[in-house]
Amino acid sequence: MAEAASGFKQIVVLGDSLSDSGNAGRFTNGPVWVEYLAERLGIVLRPSREGGSNYAIGGARLDPHSGSDSLQAQADAYLRGRRVSSGTLYIVYGGANDVLGAIGSPQADMMIDVAANSLRDILTKLAENGPVDILVPNLPDVSITPAVQGQGGAAAERATELTMRFNRQLEQALTQVQGARTYRLDVAHLAEQVRKDPSALGFINTTAPCDQKSACEGYLFWDGVHPTTRAHERLAGAAFQLISAP
């Protein structure tokens, strides 16, 4: 039934700790959102280091010069010796680490531009052998994280500016990709809904982390930057609705 709703038989994930299900660890108190989504679609999703198709790894940036774990490197590792195939949902979710790394840097705007250009390049690579289906979430306002809030008002304001800069360029990138059906998951809007009315979405504390405990009932954040599995589950629900819509 789940497969009939979407037609997808496989998920390939390129991303960072928000989507990492075991390559560098698990950065929440339960499953991450791509695991919840895979379950709803009836698809088995395992970390790439276990032979699976989830290449996301904690700490990864979009900046292609940031190291061997960058999203560009993940895309290259997947595409090496493979052909992009139909029936596959490609998920590309990055940029948060680029924003966090840019806060306070005199080169911040340029760093965000490099990240956005890298995202565009990855989408283009995936679409070259299209048609393909690509789900691309935008970023929530990074300033809402406890880690950024703890740096003071100036850092939080800059984080908001950089997030908005990245999201604007993401929107442009999606309009420029040829040969792909793209799904834009508006995480920024979802996060704003939580901020305005947390209790309506099952959250009580949206400002402090639950200190990496296994039970974080009512908490939005597991640590200074990562959401709890409850937040991941809600994100997966929004993604499922998006890709299942007629």
Side-chain angles (χ1 to χ4, degrees):
M1 180 176 180
E3 186 176 303
S6 65
F8 297 118
K9 300 176 182 178
Q10 181 187 23
I11 295 176
V12 174
V13 183
L14 310 176
D16 53 29
S17 57
L18 294 175
S19 306
D20 189 349
S21 58
N23 285 321
R26 187 179 295 278
F27 300 84
T28 188
N29 59 315
V32 295
W33 74 284
V34 292
E35 293 177 288
Y36 283 120
L37 179 60
E39 182 180 8
R40 295 190 69 162
L41 293 173
I43 295 172
V44 176
L45 180 66
R46 294 182 293 120
S48 59
R49 292 184 178 177
E50 298 176 7
S53 57
N54 184 355
Y55 291 79
I57 185 165
R61 297 189 184 192
L62 278 164
D63 181 353
H65 304 295
S66 60
S68 60
D69 292 332
S70 73
L71 271 74
Q72 283 275 9
Q74 294 173 32
D76 291 342
Y78 168 73
L79 292 170
R80 194 177 300 122
R82 291 184 177 88
R83 290 183 60 83
V84 174
S85 59
S86 60
T88 299
L89 175 65
Y90 295 90
I91 297 176
V92 183
Y93 193 16
N97 288 325
D98 298 88
V99 171
L100 288 168
I103 298 171
S105 170
Q107 305 297 323
D109 288 348
M110 183 186 71
M111 293 168 69
I112 298 305
D113 296 347
V114 168
N117 287 334
S118 176
L119 174 62
R120 183 181 294 107
D121 290 345
I122 292 169
L123 299 180
T124 300
K125 284 182 181 180
L126 292 175
E128 282 177 350
N129 298 316
V132 295
D133 295 89
I134 310 175
L135 172 65
V136 186
N138 63 11
L139 295 181
D141 184 350
V142 175
S143 74
I144 69 172
T145 61
V148 174
Q149 286 292 313
Q151 297 179 43
E157 183 177 349
R158 188 61 171 139
T160 298
E161 294 171 353
L162 295 173
T163 303
M164 293 176 63
R165 185 182 185 92
F166 178 83
N167 282 345
R168 285 194 300 268
Q169 294 187 56
L170 181 152
E171 295 289 341
Q172 294 174 0
L174 291 178
T175 65
Q176 295 168 1
V177 177
Q178 303 295 319
R181 180 187 294 110
T182 55
Y183 302 89
R184 179 179 69 81
L185 182 58
D186 195 352
V187 182
H189 176 67
L190 295 173
E192 182 62 16
Q193 287 183 312
V194 173
R195 188 190 68 80
K196 287 183 176 180
D197 193 0
S199 60
L201 297 172
F203 297 103
I204 299 171
N205 191 322
T206 61
T207 58
C210 71
D211 296 327
Q212 302 183 14
K213 297 174 183 175
S214 58
C216 297
E217 189 65 32
Y219 279 83
L220 177 62
F221 289 103
W222 178 69
D223 63 10
V225 293
H226 299 104
T228 59
T229 192
R230 174 67 176 271
H232 279 282
E233 187 175 18
R234 288 201 169 275
L235 180 58
F240 181 79
Q241 288 184 347
L242 178 65
I243 63 176
S244 301

